[in-house]
Amino acid sequence: MCQERVIKLLIFGFIAGLLLQESSPQPASSSSSLSKERRGGGSALDDDYEDDYDDDDELPSKESADNEISNPNPSLATQLLTRNHTIETELDDTVTLPCRIQNPESNTIVMWYNTSNLLYIRTNNHTNDPRLVLGKDSSLTLRHVQATDDSIYKCTVLPIQQSAFITLKVRGPPYNIQITHGKNDYTNREVEIQQHDRKFVIHCGASGYPTPSVTWSFKGKHLDDAYAKHTGIVIRKEFLEIHDVKAHHAGDYECMAQNGVGEPVSASVSVQIKSRPAIVKHVEYLNTAVGENAELVCLYHSNPEARKVQWLRGDEPLRNSAKYSIVEDRHNHHQRTRLTVRNVEQKDLVAYVCKVENALGESSAKTILGLLPGSAHLVDSNFSNGLLHTVWRVRSAQPLSDLQILYKGENTKYTTIDATISEQNKEESGDVWNIKRSLRLPEGEWFVTARARNTEGWAFSETVPVQFQIPSEVSLETQGLAESGSPSVAQSVSLGLCLLLFSLICRLF
């Protein structure tokens, strides 16, 4: 009996040990060889290459091996050994441009050029630059290298008519930034275009090595993909394109060039678009009350300058009088015209037209003066505790009696709910009402608008629906549990099996 109990206990211990071993995390296998990072990186080929040289030996220059003819023909009397190649250097360094000649003779002439500008002929200096020195081996040394030295240099040997081109790359910050339209330079200047030109392209370029990359900004804001698409602008590296010129494209464009060396440089161009006037802002309906003064406002932009600005009632042009007052001024960088209708009567509740004319055309906008409330505008919103909280603003000289919130899903009809209104919703000064209303909406996309009613009736129109994306409700408790250090599935199963075995053995004993 005792032996059987011992055997059963051994079996239980063996099975439990196996289960716990499988559920426990396995340590990462170690390697007898060191990783590439610990060995300093590089491949086996690199190691073999470095083993051929001691630490004190200089590795052979692959560049210098390519700069000269490897197997010159000794039978030739005179031969230019230097090949076409590129040399990289830093600002304020000293650099030597080689021009190695095999078997030069008494009539051999060496000439040095910077692009097409002659620098040296034999030992005669044709430049006033004291930084250039011709060596006895016909090499050209340049001291205190500047960014503008970045160029192509040519060594020409006469009379054998052989030349070597040496491209000098000076590593330094960008410089000489330039904005062009067509063939004209408009860097930090103003350019005027006609809206009917339809397409407009400007280019930004800058010198420097490495080659600078270019980014664009419009009216002080970086032109990323979203902003460029919103404004109708296409960015193609250093090119900025507008395929359908509109009045809103007028403004300051800034180009910034950077290459990772030193500070970036920038330049700007002010684009002025000539077109017929554009009405920037006006209200389609304005609430007022009998006996009050009503002010109608029209913001506009005109280039060329407006030659006529009018307010009309029907077809009748209005002028300053005891009934009407017209004022021209500016507001927020826009031109503005204001019409005040004094002591409003019932007969004054009609449509008024703001009309602006320049040499290229005219534009107009209509405002209706009435007693109905103005449109309800959403001025604030946020989502919390499963509710969408909204704040609506309505202009009404008369007391408001109702505010309806209308909402619908992507494929549903509008549902209406009412908001509670009292005199506390009205601002102390003026005819503005602020009404709060919260909505409980399921997860998904929703469109919300509102309309108000005063003692004269419902608003002239609803506002454009505002789009909301309602998130799904996530239990914080569940999220916290998921983020906590809970046991793994394998460990839970193993522990359960162990408890089951323990229960069975207890029954056997």
Side-chain angles (χ1 to χ4, degrees):
M1 188 70 175
C2 179
Q3 292 178 349
E4 291 178 358
R5 291 182 178 180
V6 170
I7 292 172
K8 291 176 181 178
L9 285 172
L10 289 174
I11 293 173
F12 166 75
F14 177 76
I15 295 174
L18 287 176
L19 292 173
L20 290 174
Q21 184 178 5
E22 290 177 357
S23 64
S24 61
Q26 297 295 323
S29 58
S30 61
S31 174
S32 59
S33 62
L34 292 175
S35 66
K36 177 182 176 181
E37 289 78 7
R38 293 184 62 188
R39 290 188 290 109
S43 63
L45 181 61
D46 295 333
D47 294 339
D48 294 339
Y49 181 79
E50 293 175 359
D51 288 342
D52 293 338
Y53 299 90
D54 295 329
D55 293 339
D56 296 334
D57 293 340
E58 181 180 356
L59 295 179
S61 169
K62 298 178 182 179
E63 180 183 8
S64 62
D66 294 335
N67 293 345
E68 295 183 0
I69 296 175
S70 56
N71 296 310
N73 188 350
S75 63
L76 295 177
T78 303
Q79 184 178 8
L80 176 61
L81 302 182
T82 302
R83 289 181 173 180
N84 300 342
H85 64 284
T86 298
I87 295 178
E88 295 185 8
T89 187
E90 304 283 340
L91 290 173
D92 206 40
D93 276 0
T94 296
V95 63
T96 298
L97 312 181
C99 183
R100 188 161 175 257
I101 304 170
Q102 175 185 268
N103 300 328
E105 297 183 354
S106 59
N107 66 337
T108 299
I109 299 174
V110 177
M111 304 173 67
W112 274 100
Y113 294 87
N114 178 351
T115 58
S116 60
N117 299 318
L118 180 63
L119 303 178
Y120 270 93
I121 179 170
R122 290 185 172 174
T123 58
N124 298 321
N125 190 342
H126 284 255
T127 175
N128 295 324
D129 193 343
R131 300 176 302 126
L132 287 171
V133 177
L134 186 69
K136 293 182 179 180
D137 59 353
S138 300
S139 63
L140 183 67
T141 298
L142 176 60
R143 299 188 178 96
H144 303 295
V145 172
Q146 301 173 2
T148 52
D149 295 325
D150 191 296
S151 184
I152 298 177
Y153 296 78
K154 182 175 73 169
C155 163
T156 297
V157 181
L158 300 176
I160 62 174
Q161 297 290 343
Q162 293 181 357
S163 297
F165 293 87
I166 302 174
T167 302
L168 182 62
K169 292 292 187 182
V170 181
R171 183 178 175 84
Y175 66 97
N176 194 28
I177 189 169
Q178 189 178 51
I179 298 178
T180 57
H181 171 54
K183 296 181 179 180
N184 299 318
D185 181 8
Y186 289 97
T187 307
N188 299 324
R189 293 169 55 196
E190 184 178 286
V191 57
E192 286 189 348
I193 61 173
Q194 301 280 348
Q195 184 171 338
H196 58 69
D197 290 344
R198 307 297 292 173
K199 187 174 182 179
F200 172 68
V201 180
I202 51 178
H203 173 268
C204 177
S207 303
Y209 180 75
T211 303
S213 61
V214 169
T215 56
W216 287 94
S217 299
F218 177 46
K219 294 181 178 178
K221 183 177 180 182
H222 173 59
L223 273 167
D224 56 18
D225 292 341
Y227 185 41
K229 183 177 180 180
H230 174 73
T231 53
I233 296 174
V234 178
I235 302 296
R236 302 185 189 278
K237 295 184 178 179
E238 65 269 24
F239 289 93
L240 184 147
E241 303 176 4
I242 303 174
H243 294 169
D244 188 11
V245 177
K246 301 292 184 183
H248 70 264
H249 288 129
D252 294 335
Y253 293 80
E254 183 182 29
C255 158
M256 184 172 69
Q258 53 189 340
N259 63 356
V261 181
E263 296 296 325
V265 294
S266 63
S268 64
V269 58
S270 178
V271 176
Q272 302 296 324
I273 298 175
K274 289 189 173 182
S275 65
R276 66 186 182 91
I279 306 298
V280 178
K281 186 177 181 181
H282 79 290
V283 294
E284 295 181 352
Y285 183 89
L286 180 65
N287 169 266
T288 187
V290 173
E292 289 192 352
N293 295 337
E295 183 182 67
L296 292 74
V297 179
C298 188
L299 299 180
Y300 65 92
H301 171 77
S302 180
N303 185 18
E305 185 177 353
R307 62 187 181 189
K308 184 186 289 187
V309 179
Q310 288 181 303
W311 282 95
L312 298 94
R313 174 174 172 163
D315 295 329
E316 176 192 359
L318 303 178
R319 294 176 176 82
N320 284 309
S321 63
K323 184 67 176 179
Y324 304 109
S325 170
I326 300 175
V327 177
E328 303 290 333
D329 58 8
R330 296 187 65 87
H331 178 71
N332 290 343
H333 309 293
H334 293 296
Q335 294 150 296
R336 178 173 66 174
T337 177
R338 293 181 288 163
L339 170 66
T340 301
V341 182
R342 299 188 180 97
N343 191 21
V344 171
E345 303 175 66
Q346 193 71 31
K347 64 180 182 180
D348 298 323
L349 304 178
V350 294
Y352 295 84
V353 175
C354 158
K355 184 178 179 181
V356 184
E357 178 184 338
N358 67 13
L360 299 179
E362 64 180 42
S363 295
S364 61
K366 180 174 67 174
T367 299
I368 298 175
L369 193 62
L371 304 179
L372 300 176
S375 299
H377 297 282
L378 182 68
V379 294
D380 191 21
S381 65
N382 63 82
F383 185 81
S384 64
N385 300 324
L387 293 173
L388 175 64
H389 307 284
T390 62
V391 180
W392 301 86
R393 180 169 294 171
V394 180
R395 178 186 174 91
S396 177
Q398 300 78 13
L400 284 185
S401 57
D402 295 285
L403 180 76
Q404 287 185 340
I405 311 292
L406 298 89
Y407 62 93
K408 77 179 195 70
E410 189 173 3
N411 299 311
T412 62
K413 295 182 179 180
Y414 273 110
T415 301
T416 303
I417 60 172
D418 296 323
T420 303
I421 299 177
S422 68
E423 284 294 327
Q424 294 179 351
N425 297 115
K426 186 178 180 181
E427 293 183 358
E428 293 183 3
S429 59
D431 302 327
V432 177
W433 300 68
N434 296 303
I435 303 102
K436 298 180 181 180
R437 186 64 165 91
S438 298
L439 300 82
R440 186 174 296 279
L441 299 175
E443 173 191 1
E445 187 177 57
W446 293 87
F447 299 88
V448 183
T449 184
R451 63 174 183 170
R453 180 168 67 178
N454 62 13
T455 54
E456 299 295 326
W458 285 101
F460 182 74
S461 63
E462 294 113 13
T463 54
V464 177
V466 181
Q467 183 178 352
F468 290 95
Q469 186 67 39
I470 304 301
S472 59
E473 294 185 8
V474 179
S475 171
L476 295 178
E477 294 182 1
T478 304
Q479 184 179 3
L481 180 60
E483 294 176 353
S484 64
S486 56
S488 66
V489 175
Q491 290 174 336
S492 300
V493 171
S494 300
L495 182 59
L497 289 174
C498 289
L499 293 175
L500 178 61
L501 286 173
F502 180 75
S503 176
L504 291 174
I505 291 175
C506 288
R507 292 183 181 181
L508 290 174
F509 290 111

